Amino acid sequence: LTDSNISQSPQSHFEWAGENDYMQQEDDWDRDMLLDPAWEKQQRKTFTAWCNSHLRKAGTQIENIEEDFRDGLKLMLLLEVISGERLAKPERGKMRVHKISNVNKALDFIASKGVKLVSIGAEEIVDGNAKMTLGMIWTIILRFAIQDISVEETSAKEGLLLWCQRKTAPYKNVNIQNFHISWKDGLGFCALIHRHRPELIDYGKLRKDDPMTNLNTAFDVAEKYLDIPKMLDAEDIVGTARPDEKAIMTYVSSFYHAFSGAQKAETAANRICKVLAVNQENEQLMEDYEKLASDLLEWIRRTIPWLENRVPENTMQAMQQKLEDFRDYRRLHKPPKVQEKCQLEINFNTLQTKLRLSNRPAFMPSEGKMVSDISSAWGSLEGAEKGYEEWLLNEIRRLERLDHLAEKFRQKAAIHEAWTDGKEEMLQHKDYETASLSDIKALLKKHEAFESDLAAHQDRVEQIAAIAQELNELEYYDSPSVNARCQQICDQWDSLGVLTQKRSEALQRTEKLLETIDQLYLEFAKRAAPFNNWMEGAMEDLQDTFIVHTIEEIQGLSTAHEQFKATLPEADKERQAILGIHNEIAKIVQTYHVNMAGTNPYTTINPQEINAKWDKVRQLVPQRDQALIEEHARQQNNERLRRQFANQANVIGPWIQTKMEEIGRISIEMHGTLEDQLTHLRQYEKNIVNYKPKIDQLEGDHQLIQEALIFDNKHTNYTMEHIRVGWEQLLTTIARTINEIENQILTRDAKGISQDQMNEFRASFNHFDRDHSGTLGAEEFKACLISLGFDIGNDAQGEAEFARIMSIVDPNRLGVITFQAFIDFMSRETADTDTADQVMTSFKVLAGDKNYILADELRRELPPDQAEYCIARMMPYTGPDAIPGALDYMSFSTALYGESDL
């Protein structure tokens, strides 16, 4: 026989949808209209036995298959038994017309079950045509015994073959590849029986070279213990080069149906295992989320009080330490928490996607642990962080200013106190009472010079008071001592004013008694006092500390210093003039032998002091020059740091903005498959991460700027805070975009959505996303649905349907629909998922149609961990048919899908 003879059977005149692959009619059979005698014999025996296995349920049987069906009565009875339905009432007459009528009723019923009858009429059956009769019976077998066989999405012949392969796979010498020669040695039949009923056959004693014994053993055991009639003869199978395929299929299908109960239990157990595995995985993800959220919130709770602590330190060193601690927080402690926050959001989105894909209710974290709660807490943290940094910098500026002012106050106070030392005793001295007239005049002139000196010191006292007031306003930590010293100076100054006035009045009273005064001493005192005060002021200015922040400021100080140096020649002339007065006095004393005791009665200033102070001023000028040069160099270095930071920031800032815009475009465009997009995004993420050394380099430059106490930078609008925030947003955005693509892949794979469908959904979404925002408004979404074929009109029914859809894709009523929500909705519309009813039906199969299930049944049918998982969570069954140990699997099934508490 050739391969073409296999399908050249009378069954080729009967077709039924789904079986055309092996029911195809061939040309040479139509020509010969022959059936191999060996195959015809096997089919007669097998089909007759198969028909009798059903007819005996009605208390009858057939002997000759083409003769006993001629009147149509037993044919109609057979169809009623195997279908469980009632056919039209048969004709009881013996005439040919009655027989044809009955056969037509049977053929019409077959046709109503989806079977197409081609080139056959009732006349052939009534006439006893063996070919047509066998073909009709084979069609009935296919429709009612084989069509409904389904194994892993394959059906009928392929499903039955796959079932046989799966069941016999563990057995040696068994290789089922077809329904003819693979069964000749009989081991395949024995393996099927042993797999389901190992106590019936001792498979180890069977031999491949003894097919007769193997076949007869299988046929006898099947007939005796499995209620499967003997449809084949071992001699026919062994003696035929290629046994009849349809006879083998018919007999094997009887084994499938005999063991279908065990198959259903296995399928039910697999379904439950799948559902429980998903539930256990989701519960672990929920626990991981809760722990990670708790840890992150606890860290934020502990960190914010530290950032909100605004208690200032009294010294610059202490505040610098606070700034260093804050840098450590930014550099070491915060980055891992930024990654944890990003990972938490990714885990939450992945969990929600898995829950949607497994038809579970959305995960609701514990109170206060929502992603929004964490984002809010994180916002509070960043607000406190920004305020803390600003406060630190302001405090450092304030302490720097305070140190400068305090030192200035001490210098001026020391100079003033040195000047006032002994002045009160001098003013209170009553030397004029015993002095001569000349002495009195000298005392009067000396007092006039003192008054001039006192007036000259008025500005210094006012400066001291102003500095003390500023220190108080800036909350200087040692303000009490400053205030006490300032108050002492002011009180002393007031006392000096009062004493000066009193002495002046006393001298004026005695002025009339004084006639002689040394005018030259007086002139010396008058000119020496302001010059001396000028030199003291110059020394004070030359030794005064300065603080600048820009090149312009130091240039201003340098200009002022040059102007001061330009006044030195004129000052030297004044010094020479004052010394000339003293020389003239000495000449007069020497010439006229005046006894003046060698001192000037009008002033304590002497030429030696003037020369010493003048030399001191000349020494301080080059020192001031050097200090200005060094400060100018420092400001130049600061300017270099500013430009160095600005050059990098002006490149990195726009780069981050460009990358953010590119990611935004990638998230709404379609280029290739989702896997291609994911690969592209991951490569994109790798390129972004490789940019991190430039950020670190910029951080190093920023630290140098802060260490140099540089507080502004006119060369760039970007601050390090802008760069940090932009960098963190860039990392978060690329991670979220990758997570969205991964969730789309999960949705596609779980729901069976093809890549073309996914591309169509993306194209439709992008077409109506006019503003490229990545979301659709309500009207845009409605137009998109209409373009995809949804019937959403403007009538009341259409509006109600659209409102229902909006409640699914926009449960929070934000007025926008994300692409993920759109994909989730379309996947639900195009794919099927497990339901609580399906799980409940699976449990019922395991329970043997009872309304409850026992723990032993769960342990027998399910893996140990999942069986114990069910037992621990199932409530005791309380129905009227309850027995001890009965468990309620119905409420447990609904709880798995959130319809009640688990």
Side-chain angles (χ1 to χ4, degrees), residues 420-440:
T420 59
D421 184 37
K423 294 294 189 292
E424 289 180 305
E425 292 78 4
M426 183 270 292
L427 291 172
Q428 292 173 346
H429 190 215
K430 296 181 179 181
D431 52 347
Y432 54 87
E433 294 179 350
T434 58
S436 64
L437 180 60
S438 59
D439 293 333
I440 293 301

Side-chain angles (χ1 to χ4, degrees), residues 775-794:
T775 61
L776 296 181
E779 292 301 320
E780 293 174 334
F781 178 59
K782 185 175 183 180
C784 182
L785 290 179
I786 293 175
S787 73
L788 291 172
F790 283 78
D791 186 14
I792 305 176
N794 294 323

Side-chain angles (χ1 to χ4, degrees), residues 627-672:
L628 290 172
I629 291 172
E630 291 174 356
E631 181 61 27
H632 190 272
R634 190 175 76 87
Q635 289 303 323
Q636 284 181 327
N637 182 62
N638 289 352
E639 185 68 8
R640 180 186 63 79
L641 291 176
R642 289 188 183 98
R643 292 181 181 276
Q644 179 174 316
F645 177 87
N647 290 339
Q648 294 188 71
N650 289 337
V651 172
I652 293 175
W655 181 86
I656 290 176
Q657 182 63 31
T658 300
K659 294 304 176 184
M660 290 288 289
E661 294 172 356
E662 290 176 359
I663 293 172
R665 288 194 299 270
I666 291 173
S667 65
I668 63 174
E669 293 175 353
M670 291 187 305
H671 295 293

Side-chain angles (χ1 to χ4, degrees), residues 547-562:
I547 176 170
V548 294
H549 296 96
T550 65
I551 289 288
E552 291 76 14
E553 290 178 357
I554 191 62
Q555 289 174 346
L557 289 177
S558 299
T559 300
H561 183 61
E562 292 299 323

